[in-house]
Amino acid sequence: MTRRQVIEAGTVAAAAMASSGALAQGPAPAAQGQPLPDGVTLPSSAPPAPRPGSVGYAIIGLGDYALKQIMPRFAQSQRCHIAALVSGNPEKLARVGEAYGVPAEARYSYENFADIAANREVEAVYIILPTGLHAEWAERAFAAGKHVMCEKPMALSAAECARMIAASERAGKKLMVGYRCHFEPYNRAAMELTRTRALGDLRLIRTEHSYRLGPATPATNWRIARAQTGGGPLEDYGIYGLQAALYLSGEMPDRLSASTFRPEGDPRFSEVFAHVAVQMHFPSGTVAQIVTSYDSAGINMVEARGTHGALRMQPATGYGPNALVLETGGTARPLEPGDPEVQFAAMLDHLAAAIREGTPVLTPGEMGLRDLRLMEAIYAAAASGRSVALNPDGTMRG
Ligand code: NAD
């Protein structure tokens, strides 16, 4: 498979999918209202009035992550508030709007979203939709003159990421990817340990992000529908290991190899892979192994090993209690650098500060684009069975 064919294939997974037989692909994604997810606790009282200078966010996509993780964390933010909601389910929109004190005129549907341009309370749009909808809704948000926070993965392909960055530049508005681990104390401490060479020269990084999906089909779960998700576990969960390999090494890989696996006859994997394994080589000589699966018992693990010590994180990139053990000189020391839960509010406040102060964001669209380029290289390597040489920007060489 040539690089040109890979690029022409359009989506991240297309190249590798094509090599694994004729796979069904669902219809092109459209935004569609969904019921209130199970297990959501809505606030019992509306939040206090925003502080002066607070940045108003519109939340688009009222699903699991929005309602259980992001929206409740605005209460801990210093510089932003929820100013509007966008949903395709009118009952859910009304119920969530009441609970969060969002006035009826600031509740939008997918159909009348463009009206948000006139709402001066809304300065940023947080896109928490299935991945296949990120590019389209980021472009719509920029067209409405808003800044954008976009959930990970940024989109389905590098081409979509490039479109989003171009739209952000045309609008003169910021584009940030919701890579929360950059704001999480354990991961920040791990970055600092490798940056300051506390482990000596970094040699090996190993990451594993896996869980076992229950019974599902592409029609019942967008995470296994190729048109909404790409290749599957790598974009959804393995992306944390990919990110960790990059922020712990502080380098871009110069080559990688990969394998994918998809069992026959399992409806969960009619459109996506069950496992992806990646081996990366960095110019310094560091090697990283990144493993991810939708069909094995849960694990969330990152390890880095240098010439003089190691760090172990398990859980490494979770919402709540993460762990970090530093091993040097024959002793293992658990570190407790802070409350992992601050990551959400810190990320929300970071974009707000960047908007107010005109400063750059730590996790910009270019970082999301870089990661999608690497995922395209991973799928190309897996499809060809050969290692792929990379340029410093993550594009494939040759
Ligand atoms: P979800 O299925 O629970 O919610 C998605 C929501 O999008 C739905 O509830 C609905 O409101 C809306 N939607 C609009 N059109 C839809 C369509 N055609 N099909 C399905 N839903 C549609 O998903 P989620 O777990 O909340 O994930 C949403 C985004 O957040 C994804 O990009 C995902 O990768 C990301 N996410 C990030 C993290 C993280 O830790 N950063 C964690 C979970 C999810």
Side-chain angles (χ1 to χ4, degrees):
M1 169 117 358
T2 65
R3 179 169 173 264
R4 176 176 296 268
Q5 283 171 313
V6 171
I7 292 167
E8 284 171 355
T11 64
V12 171
M17 288 294 186
S19 77
S20 54
L23 287 163
Q25 173 164 355
Q32 236 169 44
Q34 306 292 323
L36 189 76
D38 291 338
V40 169
T41 310
L42 293 172
S44 48
S45 57
R51 299 164 197 236
S54 176
V55 167
Y57 275 86
I59 308 293
I60 171 160
L62 305 180
D64 218 72
Y65 189 58
L67 287 164
K68 294 182 187 166
Q69 304 303 331
I70 294 297
M71 292 177 61
R73 265 45 175 261
F74 275 89
Q76 293 149 21
S77 73
Q78 305 293 313
R79 308 191 62 155
C80 52
H81 62 281
I82 299 173
L85 300 174
V86 186
S87 169
N89 175 330
E91 291 79 39
K92 180 172 73 173
L93 183 61
R95 207 170 143 200
V96 175
E98 288 303 316
Y100 278 92
V102 174
E105 62 276 15
R107 300 177 201 158
Y108 299 87
S109 68
Y110 297 123
E111 285 71 36
N112 71 8
F113 173 77
D115 296 349
I116 209 166
N119 186 338
R120 297 173 67 91
E121 288 294 309
V122 176
E123 293 182 70
V125 171
Y126 193 156
I127 298 169
I128 322 185
L129 294 165
T131 311
L133 295 165
H134 290 182
E136 175 190 344
W137 287 91
E139 287 180 312
R140 289 188 187 205
F142 287 128
K146 310 300 181 189
H147 301 277
V148 169
M149 173 84 83
C150 181
E151 252 321 309
K152 52 51 62 178
M154 181 167 155
L156 293 179
S157 67
E160 283 190 347
C161 294
R163 261 173 47 200
M164 294 161 79
I165 292 169
S168 139
E169 285 168 356
R170 272 197 309 276
K173 299 290 169 185
K174 295 194 182 292
L175 170 55
M176 176 167 166
V177 182
Y179 281 140
R180 56 181 171 70
C181 293
H182 290 257
F183 304 92
E184 192 279 319
Y186 283 72
N187 282 275
R188 290 181 69 84
M191 288 176 209
E192 190 59 11
L193 287 170
T194 53
R195 193 187 66 78
T196 56
R197 302 183 66 252
L199 316 177
D201 295 334
L202 201 57
R203 294 288 199 241
L204 300 171
I205 298 173
R206 290 195 309 134
T207 76
E208 190 169 352
H209 287 83
S210 300
Y211 69 92
R212 186 135 201 269
L213 268 176
T217 67
T220 61
N221 184 346
W222 68 263
R223 278 187 164 76
I224 52 171
R226 187 179 140 201
Q228 292 280 37
T229 203
L234 177 63
E235 287 88 339
D236 188 34
Y237 204 21
I239 191 170
Y240 292 98
L242 174 68
Q243 274 264 312
L246 302 183
Y247 58 65
L248 294 182
S249 67
E251 289 187 275
M252 278 294 281
D254 53 9
R255 60 172 196 271
L256 60 79
S257 55
S259 21
T260 51
F261 175 70
R262 194 179 66 82
E264 288 298 325
D266 186 329
R268 296 173 303 164
F269 305 114
S270 59
E271 299 190 7
V272 300
F273 297 112
H275 326 302
V276 181
V278 183
Q279 183 151 306
M280 283 182 172
H281 176 274
F282 293 89
S284 65
T286 304
V287 169
Q289 286 185 323
I290 297 156
V291 181
T292 184
S293 168
Y294 264 171
D295 198 27
S296 57
I299 184 167
N300 178 332
M301 183 279 281
V302 170
E303 279 189 13
R305 191 161 295 274
T307 46
H308 295 95
L311 63 82
R312 287 188 285 116
M313 307 178 74
Q314 188 174 346
T317 61
Y319 303 149
N322 285 328
L324 172 59
V325 176
L326 177 63
E327 293 178 359
T328 46
T331 54
R333 194 157 50 98
L335 304 181
E336 291 179 4
D339 179 0
E341 283 217 20
V342 303
Q343 60 187 310
F344 302 97
M347 180 180 78
L348 295 164
D349 279 343
H350 179 77
L351 177 60
I355 291 170
R356 280 288 166 271
E357 280 133 38
T359 46
V361 294
L362 200 56
T363 56
E366 287 75 10
M367 183 183 276
L369 168 63
R370 174 201 73 181
D371 294 351
L372 263 295
R373 283 178 177 154
L374 290 175
M375 288 191 246
E376 289 181 351
I378 288 167
Y379 289 122
S384 70
R386 297 213 185 88
S387 88
V388 167
L390 299 167
N391 294 310
D393 66 0
T395 51
M396 288 177 269
R397 223 189 279 171

